[in-house]
Amino acid sequence: MTDANVKNNENAIVRVRDLHKSFGKVDVLKGIDCDIAKGEKVVIIGPSGSGKSTFLRCLNLLEQPTKGEVWFGENILTPIDPYMHPQIIRLSKVYKNLLKKSKVETPDLSEEVIDGAVIKIIKEDNLLEKEKSGAFKKAIKRLYAEKIMNVNLARQKVGMVFQHFNLFNNLTVMENLTLAPVKLKLKTKAEAEERARTLLKRIGLEEKANVYPSTLSGGQKQRIAIVRSLAMDPDVMLFDEPTSALDPEMVGEVLELMKDLASDGMTMVVVTHEMGFAKEVASRVIFVDEGKIKEEADPKEFFNNPKDERLKEFLSKVL
Amino acid sequence: MFDLFYKCFIEADRYNMYLEGLLNTVIIAIGACLLGVIIGVIVTCIRIVPKTNIFVKILDKIAQLYVTIIRGTPVVLQLFISYFVLLVSIKFVADGLIVAIVTFGINSGAYMAEILRGGILAVDSGQMEAGRSLGLTWFQTFSKIILPQALKSAIPTMFNEFITLIKETSVAGYVGIKELTKVQSFVTIQTMEIFMPLIIIAVMYLIIVLGLQYIQKRIERRLTKGDRR
């Protein structure tokens, strides 16, 4: 994993820091750092069970991360992870004690070097677990109160497309598209329907407005699921294997719509097995394996010159 | 045959006894159904709401205990307990009908809760995820998306429970409530006939159940409009 992408990117819409997720005793994500800038099209690939879907689902908190932070713009969605904030670590008693000790033991080192070393030790050994310092706790609380964003508000701006479409079965296509904007009072019913009709026209399914999802083909369902997200005017769109449940002849129409979105400048994060799509559309490809980002690069570099051994092996199987 | 029917049903205005019994049975059944649905919905909500705090967890345990006890004991026993023990011990001289409604309602609530919970669990979890990913709250998604689908799949089982409940009210006669089945003993005392009153009563139950089946079909037809078109 390259450190270059971990530095704070001011343009990033989504910032992920040291993301961990475990289900019971199974560690699925083991520390992922990733910035997604406005307009980027990030494609995530990896073997099944590697944690790529879980990673995507952590971005809008459909899965609650076990550790680490997820930032959406200027706001945080997860609790504060103190290890991510040196200025907070410096308030802890552990830090102060270690600093004092280190200064005595190694008086010839500069303050900066000692500070860095102490913070590193604290991070590596998880020394903040028992921290009781009031200033430390207050700092966490203050930062959280300042930066927290209601997850429901964030999700309004983060569209998600699922492998199994998940259209609302008890509602018509039109109702599927208008439910959330109307219910969340973002649009009036008339406005939402107007927008829905425009979106349906765009995908050539305006005559399906009043039918129920069960009458649609897989490709139609997925395209409607995509415009259902678009109806919320999201800042980012997450795609969780959007073509994996489709019959082969329907994959094309969904990918076409996604390419269309990409050329409109939508910020996209796509988990997929469609290598052609990755090559053509991605601005960055990420290889996730065993809960970590093993490699990330622009598609040319990624596919022509892979460095990670696991990635080479993976690409030799899928290409 | 007709003479027998005349003797057991029309002679000396005996049909009034049947009608009184029928009325009581219907009152108990409707009251218990409503109470059962209300309790069922509340218990289901407690059981499926995300367990975010200790208060909900405790309520959930109580709800589980309620379902276990009610389903684990015969309804006749529950009726005896509420009629003899509760009524006497709290010196509250209530109408027998009210005791029956409350008892059967509490009993039915436990079954209804499990039926509704089953219906909700049968709804694909992706539906909730889709709602949440659009920014809808848990409750908004639940009420607009999950519950309508759950009710649709639970309707046949719910009506099964209603039908069972109506027939179960026949044990209310054990605590001296003049419901439909009890009428047989009054008629038999007057006429010395056993068979005909039983047949008449059986037909009356059957008619109620047929009516319920008709309602069920109507509702199902309305709810399945989303399935094919």
Side-chain angles (χ1 to χ4, degrees):
Chain A
M1 192 193 66
T2 55
D3 247 328
N5 291 298
V6 183
K7 68 170 189 287
N8 268 341
N9 185 340
E10 291 304 316
N11 293 327
I13 290 189
V14 178
R15 283 180 293 149
V16 178
R17 291 289 174 271
D18 196 34
L19 185 70
H20 285 72
K21 173 70 187 175
S22 30
F23 295 102
K25 280 188 178 149
V26 186
D27 296 328
V28 180
L29 299 180
K30 300 166 189 167
I32 287 191
D33 292 273
C34 180
D35 279 10
I36 292 147
K38 195 159 174 45
E40 252 196 305
K41 292 100 184 69
V42 178
V43 171
I44 302 171
I45 64 169
S48 57
S50 59
K52 52 193 190 314
S53 280
T54 308
F55 167 58
L56 197 71
R57 291 160 60 84
C58 280
L59 296 184
N60 66 354
L61 259 59
L62 279 186
E63 302 291 354
Q64 191 72 40
T66 330
K67 197 169 152 249
E69 295 179 346
V70 177
W71 290 75
F72 182 63
E74 286 302 296
N75 301 101
I76 193 166
L77 304 180
T78 54
I80 301 280
D81 183 347
Y83 294 101
M84 296 293 105
H85 304 275
Q87 79 275 16
I88 289 181
I89 296 181
R90 288 191 192 104
L91 293 171
S92 69
K93 278 205 181 92
V94 184
Y95 173 83
K96 284 172 186 161
N97 291 341
L98 275 175
L99 193 71
K100 213 183 284 170
K101 223 168 91 187
S102 310
K103 271 182 186 167
V104 174
E105 283 170 7
T106 54
D108 44 335
L109 285 175
S110 77
E111 189 120 340
E112 255 171 64
V113 174
I114 295 179
D115 170 72
V118 167
I119 288 178
K120 200 172 162 217
I121 292 173
I122 289 176
K123 280 187 185 175
E124 277 172 3
D125 297 347
N126 289 336
L127 293 179
L128 293 175
E129 302 307 313
K130 286 181 188 135
E131 181 62 37
K132 288 198 181 73
S133 149
F136 170 80
K137 286 191 171 166
K138 219 183 261 171
I140 292 181
K141 256 189 195 159
R142 197 183 312 128
L143 183 62
Y144 187 66
E146 196 184 311
K147 298 292 187 187
I148 179 67
M149 182 181 201
N150 180 298
V151 68
N152 291 326
L153 282 178
R155 284 174 180 154
Q156 292 179 16
K157 288 288 153 203
V158 182
M160 179 134 189
V161 176
F162 299 87
Q163 182 177 357
H164 296 286
F165 333 127
N166 296 350
L167 290 178
F168 302 132
N169 295 325
N170 58 322
L171 303 179
T172 63
V173 168
M174 178 57 83
E175 290 165 340
N176 263 278
L177 265 59
T178 57
L179 175 75
V182 173
K183 197 91 183 140
L184 296 168
K185 302 197 168 64
L186 302 173
K187 292 191 173 91
T188 66
K189 194 156 184 277
E191 285 167 354
E193 285 181 356
E194 178 63 37
R195 173 96 169 107
R197 259 188 287 276
T198 314
L199 286 168
L200 286 175
K201 201 171 276 173
R202 175 176 178 177
I203 57 171
L205 291 175
E206 64 261 57
E207 81 279 11
K208 297 288 186 187
N210 295 316
V211 307
Y212 285 87
S214 54
T215 60
L216 301 169
S217 74
Q220 291 172 333
K221 280 184 193 171
Q222 193 60 299
R223 286 186 289 147
I224 285 166
I226 291 172
V227 294
R228 177 176 66 178
S229 291
L230 284 180
M232 295 292 292
D233 302 316
D235 293 338
V236 193
M237 292 269 285
L238 312 176
F239 294 83
D240 188 4
E241 302 199 26
T243 56
S244 298
L246 293 173
D247 289 341
E249 79 262 33
M250 290 171 182
V251 171
E253 59 189 78
V254 171
L255 290 182
E256 274 312 308
L257 176 57
M258 288 168 65
K259 283 174 194 166
D260 207 32
L261 277 183
S263 59
D264 279 0
M266 174 62 73
T267 311
M268 296 162 75
V269 185
V270 186
V271 170
T272 188
H273 294 294
E274 295 291 331
M275 297 301 154
F277 178 82
K279 280 179 187 167
E280 195 179 329
V281 179
S283 55
R284 176 159 47 122
V285 188
I286 294 179
F287 177 64
V288 174
D289 185 40
E290 294 168 333
K292 287 194 162 167
I293 293 181
K294 288 285 174 69
E295 183 149 344
E296 58 180 311
D298 62 273
K300 223 178 201 171
E301 175 76 9
F302 187 92
F303 288 105
N304 296 335
N305 193 10
K307 291 174 191 70
D308 183 75
E309 281 308 316
R310 290 275 302 171
L311 174 59
K312 283 180 193 167
E313 194 189 323
F314 180 74
L315 288 177
S316 72
K317 278 179 197 157
V318 295
L319 284 180
Chain B
M1 183 72 180
F2 183 77
D3 290 346
L4 206 56
F5 178 75
Y6 183 84
K7 184 176 171 193
C8 294
F9 196 71
I10 296 170
E11 197 181 79
D13 289 347
R14 292 209 173 93
Y15 54 83
N16 278 333
M17 284 199 279
Y18 292 96
L19 291 182
E20 193 195 343
L22 185 66
L23 185 68
N24 282 342
T25 289
V26 169
I27 289 172
I28 295 171
I30 290 176
C33 273
L34 290 177
L35 188 62
V37 169
I38 292 168
I39 294 175
V41 168
I42 293 170
V43 170
T44 308
C45 284
I46 292 171
R47 296 217 50 196
I48 57 144
V49 99
K51 309 282 179 294
T52 45
N53 63 45
I54 186 86
F55 180 66
V56 183
K57 277 180 195 158
I58 293 171
L59 275 180
D60 179 53
K61 288 286 168 209
I62 295 172
Q64 281 184 41
L65 188 69
Y66 158 73
V67 171
T68 306
I69 290 176
I70 294 298
R71 292 204 305 179
T73 53
V75 67
V76 192
L77 222 71
Q78 292 162 13
L79 190 66
F80 282 164
I81 289 170
S82 51
Y83 199 80
F84 295 120
V85 181
L86 292 184
L87 256 191
V88 173
S89 66
I90 57 175
K91 306 261 186 277
F92 168 60
V93 189
D95 191 46
L97 276 182
I98 292 174
V99 175
I101 288 173
V102 171
T103 309
F104 286 111
I106 290 175
N107 178 273
S108 183
Y111 291 93
M112 206 52 81
E114 285 301 288
I115 291 167
L116 288 173
R117 199 170 68 94
I120 288 162
L121 291 181
V123 177
D124 177 20
S125 60
Q127 298 281 308
M128 178 57 88
E129 286 182 353
R132 298 307 305 275
S133 77
L134 288 167
L136 296 167
T137 63
W138 182 89
F139 186 77
Q140 284 170 333
T141 315
F142 179 75
S143 59
K144 284 280 162 189
I145 306 298
I146 309 293
L147 196 60
Q149 294 183 47
L151 282 179
K152 191 173 87 179
S153 65
I155 284 287
T157 341
M158 277 172 77
F159 269 87
N160 199 22
E161 168 58 20
F162 291 149
I163 289 168
T164 309
L165 176 64
I166 282 172
K167 292 179 295 176
E168 251 176 12
T169 58
S170 59
V171 300
Y174 285 145
V175 291
I177 295 165
K178 279 190 204 161
E179 48 71 51
L180 191 52
T181 306
K182 185 80 177 168
V183 171
Q184 176 264 331
S185 61
F186 299 132
V187 176
T188 302
I189 287 166
Q190 293 180 8
T191 60
M192 304 305 284
E193 293 292 344
I194 293 181
F195 187 63
M196 189 44 102
L198 286 176
I199 293 295
I200 293 169
I201 288 164
V203 168
M204 285 178 160
Y205 277 113
L206 196 58
I207 289 169
I208 299 177
V209 172
L210 284 176
L212 267 177
Q213 275 183 7
Y214 175 72
I215 297 171
Q216 176 186 355
K217 273 204 187 108
R218 288 283 299 270
I219 293 177
E220 276 178 14
R221 210 174 307 150
R222 266 192 56 192
L223 287 179
T224 50
K225 67 179 178 191
D227 288 349
R228 49 185 164 265
R229 203 180 144 116

